[in-house]
Amino acid sequence: MCIAQQCFALSDEATENAIYDSYAIRTFVGVDLSREAVPDAMTLIKFRRLLEKHQLTERIFASINGHLEARGLMLREGTVVDATIVAAPSFTKNQNGQGDPDMHQSKKGNQWHFGMKAHIDVDVSSRG
Protein backbone atom coordinates (compact mmCIF):
# COMPACT_ATOMS: atom_id res chain seq x y z
CA MET A 1 0.00 0.00 0.00
CA CYS A 2 2.86 2.38 0.80
CA ILE A 3 4.41 1.84 -2.62
CA ALA A 4 1.11 2.43 -4.42
CA GLN A 5 0.57 5.50 -2.24
CA GLN A 6 3.96 6.96 -3.25
CA CYS A 7 3.61 6.11 -6.95
CA PHE A 8 0.23 7.82 -7.25
CA ALA A 9 0.79 10.58 -4.63
CA LEU A 10 -2.27 9.51 -2.64
CA SER A 11 -3.33 10.44 0.86
CA ASP A 12 -3.94 7.60 3.33
CA GLU A 13 -7.70 7.72 2.78
CA ALA A 14 -7.29 7.98 -1.00
CA THR A 15 -5.02 4.92 -0.93
CA GLU A 16 -7.66 2.92 0.90
CA ASN A 17 -10.31 4.04 -1.61
CA ALA A 18 -8.05 3.35 -4.60
CA ILE A 19 -7.67 -0.27 -3.52
CA TYR A 20 -11.46 -0.65 -3.52
CA ASP A 21 -11.84 1.23 -6.83
CA SER A 22 -8.91 -0.06 -8.91
CA TYR A 23 -8.44 -3.70 -9.83
CA ALA A 24 -4.84 -2.97 -10.92
CA ILE A 25 -3.89 -1.40 -7.57
CA ARG A 26 -5.77 -4.09 -5.64
CA THR A 27 -3.86 -6.79 -7.54
CA PHE A 28 -0.53 -5.01 -7.01
CA VAL A 29 -1.19 -4.71 -3.28
CA GLY A 30 -2.38 -8.32 -3.14
CA VAL A 31 -5.83 -7.82 -1.63
CA ASP A 32 -8.58 -10.25 -2.61
CA LEU A 33 -11.88 -8.64 -1.62
CA SER A 34 -13.64 -12.01 -1.67
CA ARG A 35 -11.38 -13.20 1.18
CA GLU A 36 -10.25 -10.15 3.13
CA ALA A 37 -10.92 -6.51 3.90
CA VAL A 38 -8.76 -3.65 2.72
CA PRO A 39 -6.57 -2.33 5.55
CA ASP A 40 -7.97 1.04 6.58
CA ALA A 41 -6.20 4.38 6.41
CA MET A 42 -5.27 4.27 10.13
CA THR A 43 -3.50 0.92 9.63
CA LEU A 44 -1.54 2.45 6.75
CA ILE A 45 -0.59 5.47 8.88
CA LYS A 46 0.65 3.26 11.71
CA PHE A 47 2.64 1.04 9.33
CA ARG A 48 4.18 4.03 7.54
CA ARG A 49 5.19 5.59 10.87
CA LEU A 50 6.79 2.29 11.92
CA LEU A 51 8.80 2.22 8.66
CA GLU A 52 9.90 5.82 9.21
CA LYS A 53 10.82 5.21 12.85
CA HIS A 54 13.20 2.45 11.81
CA GLN A 55 14.41 4.42 8.74
CA LEU A 56 13.26 1.70 6.35
CA THR A 57 11.34 3.82 3.83
CA GLU A 58 14.47 5.10 2.07
CA ARG A 59 16.02 1.62 2.01
CA ILE A 60 12.88 0.06 0.51
CA PHE A 61 12.64 2.64 -2.27
CA ALA A 62 16.39 2.48 -2.95
CA SER A 63 16.03 -1.27 -3.41
CA ILE A 64 13.03 -0.85 -5.73
CA ASN A 65 14.85 1.80 -7.77
CA GLY A 66 17.91 -0.47 -8.00
CA HIS A 67 15.81 -3.28 -9.50
CA LEU A 68 14.12 -0.87 -11.93
CA GLU A 69 17.37 0.80 -13.03
CA ALA A 70 18.95 -2.62 -13.68
CA ARG A 71 16.18 -3.07 -16.25
CA GLY A 72 16.54 0.39 -17.77
CA LEU A 73 13.52 1.84 -15.93
CA MET A 74 13.21 4.57 -13.34
CA LEU A 75 10.79 5.74 -10.68
CA ARG A 76 11.27 9.26 -9.38
CA GLU A 77 9.17 11.76 -7.54
CA GLY A 78 8.59 15.09 -9.20
CA THR A 79 7.89 13.60 -12.64
CA VAL A 80 5.79 15.73 -14.96
CA VAL A 81 3.69 13.89 -17.54
CA ASP A 82 2.34 15.79 -20.51
CA ALA A 83 -0.06 14.38 -23.06
CA THR A 84 -0.55 15.97 -26.45
CA ILE A 85 -2.62 14.99 -29.46
CA VAL A 86 -0.85 14.28 -32.74
CA ALA A 87 -3.43 15.37 -35.31
CA ALA A 88 -4.52 13.13 -38.18
CA PRO A 89 -7.12 13.43 -40.95
CA SER A 90 -10.63 12.86 -39.58
CA PHE A 91 -10.62 9.19 -40.62
CA THR A 92 -7.50 7.31 -41.67
CA LYS A 93 -7.76 3.79 -43.11
CA ASN A 94 -4.97 1.25 -43.40
CA GLN A 95 -4.27 -1.10 -46.35
CA ASN A 96 -7.15 -3.37 -45.30
CA GLY A 97 -9.60 -0.46 -45.36
CA GLN A 98 -9.98 -0.41 -41.59
CA GLY A 99 -9.47 2.46 -39.21
CA ASP A 100 -6.24 2.61 -37.22
CA PRO A 101 -7.02 1.29 -33.71
CA ASP A 102 -4.51 3.73 -32.17
CA MET A 103 -6.39 6.76 -33.52
CA HIS A 104 -9.18 8.18 -31.37
CA GLN A 105 -11.34 11.25 -30.91
CA SER A 106 -10.54 13.35 -27.88
CA LYS A 107 -12.07 16.53 -26.53
CA LYS A 108 -9.68 19.26 -25.41
CA GLY A 109 -11.52 22.22 -23.97
CA ASN A 110 -14.63 22.59 -26.13
CA GLN A 111 -13.00 21.32 -29.33
CA TRP A 112 -12.87 17.74 -30.65
CA HIS A 113 -9.64 16.41 -32.15
CA PHE A 114 -8.84 13.20 -34.03
CA GLY A 115 -5.45 11.59 -33.77
CA MET A 116 -3.09 9.76 -31.47
CA LYS A 117 -1.98 10.65 -27.95
CA ALA A 118 1.72 11.18 -27.23
CA HIS A 119 2.90 11.11 -23.62
CA ILE A 120 6.13 12.80 -22.55
CA ASP A 121 7.68 12.26 -19.11
CA VAL A 122 10.34 14.59 -17.71
CA ASP A 123 11.84 14.76 -14.25
CA VAL A 124 14.45 16.97 -12.64
CA SER A 125 17.30 14.46 -12.93
CA SER A 126 16.76 13.86 -16.67
CA ARG A 127 17.33 17.46 -17.76
CA GLY A 128 20.12 17.81 -20.28
Side-chain angles (χ1 to χ4, degrees), residues 1-14:
M1 287 177 69
C2 291
I3 294 168
Q5 182 178 35
Q6 274 302 120
C7 290
F8 295 102
L10 299 172
S11 69
D12 298 309
E13 291 80 12

Side-chain angles (χ1 to χ4, degrees), residues 1-127:
M1 287 177 69
C2 291
I3 294 168
Q5 182 178 35
Q6 274 302 120
C7 290
F8 295 102
L10 299 172
S11 69
D12 298 309
E13 291 80 12
T15 302
E16 179 183 352
N17 293 334
I19 294 169
Y20 282 111
D21 295 339
S22 170
Y23 176 77
I25 293 176
R26 192 167 49 248
T27 302
F28 175 78
V29 171
V31 172
D32 181 350
L33 293 177
S34 67
R35 296 187 205 169
E36 59 196 322
V38 173
D40 63 11
M42 187 54 66
T43 302
L44 179 58
I45 291 168
K46 290 177 182 178
F47 181 72
R48 197 167 25 80
R49 286 183 181 156
L50 186 64
L51 290 174
E52 291 167 0
K53 178 181 175 185
H54 295 283
Q55 300 175 336
L56 294 172
T57 307
E58 294 83 9
R59 290 174 54 192
I60 290 169
F61 282 99
S63 179
I64 291 169
N65 281 330
H67 287 288
L68 291 173
E69 288 172 7
R71 289 163 181 78
L73 304 169
M74 68 179 183
L75 177 65
R76 304 260 189 258
E77 63 181 317
T79 299
V80 176
V81 178
D82 183 32
T84 188
I85 300 168
V86 178
S90 62
F91 191 73
T92 307
K93 293 185 179 183
N94 60 20
Q95 293 175 356
N96 298 330
Q98 297 186 7
D100 187 331
D102 292 328
M103 299 287 185
H104 301 282
Q105 272 192 313
S106 183
K107 189 173 184 181
K108 186 175 182 180
N110 288 326
Q111 188 173 357
W112 284 94
H113 300 273
F114 183 79
M116 183 180 300
K117 288 183 182 178
H119 297 272
I120 303 163
D121 299 343
V122 178
D123 65 44
V124 175
S125 64
S126 66
R127 290 186 295 166

